[in-house]
Amino acid sequence: MEKTIIELEQAAHTLKLLGDKTRLTILGLVKDGECCVCEFVEVLQMSQPSISQHLRKLRDAGLVKERRNGQWIFYSLNKEHDTYPIVQQVLEQIPDQKEKLTALEKAGLRIQCDS
Amino acid sequence: MEKTIIELEQAAHTLKLLGDKTRLTILGLVKDGECCVCEFVEVLQMSQPSISQHLRKLRDAGLVKERRNGQWIFYSLNKEHDTYPIVQQVLEQIPDQKEKLTALEKAGLRIQCDS
DNA sequence: TTAATAAATAAGCATATACTTATATACTAA
DNA sequence: TTAGTATATAAGTATATGCTTATTTATTAA
């Protein structure tokens, strides 16, 4: 497979979004699956509007996609996006965020995606 | 070689610095060698103080190092830094900036490092 | 010493960013 | 319909950011 070179401007825009602890954690959380907003709120211990605003930025940039399921909206990585290779590489080099979700699960706060 | 996992906070800080077109270009320019401040000024067509301020941020974060040679100060990638793997991966995925230096060279504006 | 050049720093300012609280919208279930 | 829950959006605000112009520092060379 030929290597895709990402435009500098687009790369900078994506990296700026990655350059925030909250958003980087959000992306780490959806690395292997989808999460709904209330899960981010629980894990990150931040207000719901604040989380929603970060998610909007990530979605506007095309880094994540959303799927509604009833009352819940699930977010996941958009692997089709031009800059996904950058996101992927970065996520491989930071600590796994999965344990934060398993902690949620133990507390019974994890939303069942197929509910 | 074991993979190094970079702390989330530190990764976010580095990514924030990468998330600016000017700084990303500067890093691209020093990917394969060193450049002095006036070269950045020429290539990027920006004011000298503005370039210096970007360089200071990159240096404060440890992403680049400097070397004085007479009147000139040469900047280069700091490959010893914890987050260098991230920087390296990102630089591999954006367009090469080398041609901008060869254009300088043709115009006779490139500083000879060993002058 | 003096003038010239390279680079750093300081101060000021307009805009961007990341929160906050309040409210609106969308969906579910009684 | 009505009440409850999940999420989005709006508006306000404090701080951060990236430029500008002016000045300072460091080095070179006359």
Side-chain angles (χ1 to χ4, degrees):
Chain A
M1 198 178 75
E2 202 165 320
K3 189 152 84 182
T4 306
I5 295 297
I6 294 146
E7 288 305 325
L8 194 93
E9 201 139 356
Q10 198 180 18
H13 183 221
T14 290
L15 290 162
K16 175 178 264 179
L17 291 173
L18 295 177
D20 174 274
K21 204 182 162 188
T22 301
R23 286 190 297 263
L24 194 54
T25 305
I26 287 176
L27 291 170
L29 287 168
V30 295
K31 193 172 85 171
D32 310 299
E34 40 182 23
C35 290
C36 75
V37 179
C38 57
E39 291 176 316
F40 297 126
V41 171
E42 266 304 316
V43 168
L44 292 161
Q45 289 287 296
M46 290 177 63
S47 75
Q48 174 267 313
S50 188
I51 294 292
S52 275
Q53 282 155 15
H54 282 296
L55 286 168
R56 182 167 56 169
K57 288 189 180 191
L58 292 172
R59 191 202 43 191
D60 285 353
L63 302 192
V64 300
K65 53 189 180 184
E66 59 180 52
R67 174 179 74 85
R68 181 181 273 278
N69 187 356
Q71 316 175 257
W72 297 286
I73 297 178
F74 290 91
Y75 284 86
S76 57
L77 272 189
N78 176 11
K79 301 186 178 181
E80 313 302 321
H81 194 262
D82 286 349
T83 65
Y84 174 65
I86 287 184
V87 176
Q88 190 179 28
Q89 284 293 336
V90 168
L91 293 181
E92 275 181 23
Q93 299 186 63
I94 60 167
D96 200 285
Q97 304 297 310
K98 224 177 297 177
E99 56 189 31
K100 291 178 181 166
L101 287 176
T102 57
L104 253 198
E105 207 151 357
K106 277 178 189 157
L109 292 168
R110 188 87 212 272
I111 298 295
Q112 295 308 314
C113 300
D114 43 24
S115 61
Chain B
M1 197 178 77
E2 202 164 319
K3 188 151 88 182
T4 305
I5 295 296
I6 294 144
E7 287 304 323
L8 194 93
E9 202 139 355
Q10 196 179 20
H13 184 220
T14 290
L15 291 163
K16 175 180 264 180
L17 290 173
L18 296 176
D20 173 275
K21 203 182 163 187
T22 300
R23 288 190 295 263
L24 194 53
T25 306
I26 287 176
L27 291 171
L29 287 167
V30 294
K31 191 172 84 172
D32 310 299
E34 40 183 21
C35 290
C36 76
V37 180
C38 57
E39 290 176 317
F40 296 127
V41 171
E42 266 304 317
V43 168
L44 291 161
Q45 289 287 296
M46 289 176 65
S47 76
Q48 175 266 315
S50 188
I51 294 291
S52 275
Q53 283 155 13
H54 283 296
L55 286 168
R56 181 168 54 167
K57 288 188 181 192
L58 292 172
R59 191 202 42 191
D60 285 353
L63 301 192
V64 300
K65 51 189 180 185
E66 58 181 54
R67 173 178 74 85
R68 180 180 275 278
N69 187 356
Q71 315 175 260
W72 298 286
I73 295 177
F74 290 90
Y75 284 86
S76 58
L77 272 191
N78 176 11
K79 300 186 180 182
E80 313 302 322
H81 194 263
D82 285 350
T83 64
Y84 174 65
I86 287 184
V87 176
Q88 189 179 30
Q89 284 294 337
V90 167
L91 293 181
E92 275 182 22
Q93 299 186 64
I94 60 168
D96 200 286
Q97 304 297 310
K98 223 177 297 177
E99 56 188 30
K100 290 177 181 166
L101 288 176
T102 58
L104 253 198
E105 206 151 359
K106 277 179 188 155
L109 293 169
R110 189 85 212 270
I111 299 293
Q112 295 309 313
C113 298
D114 43 25
S115 62

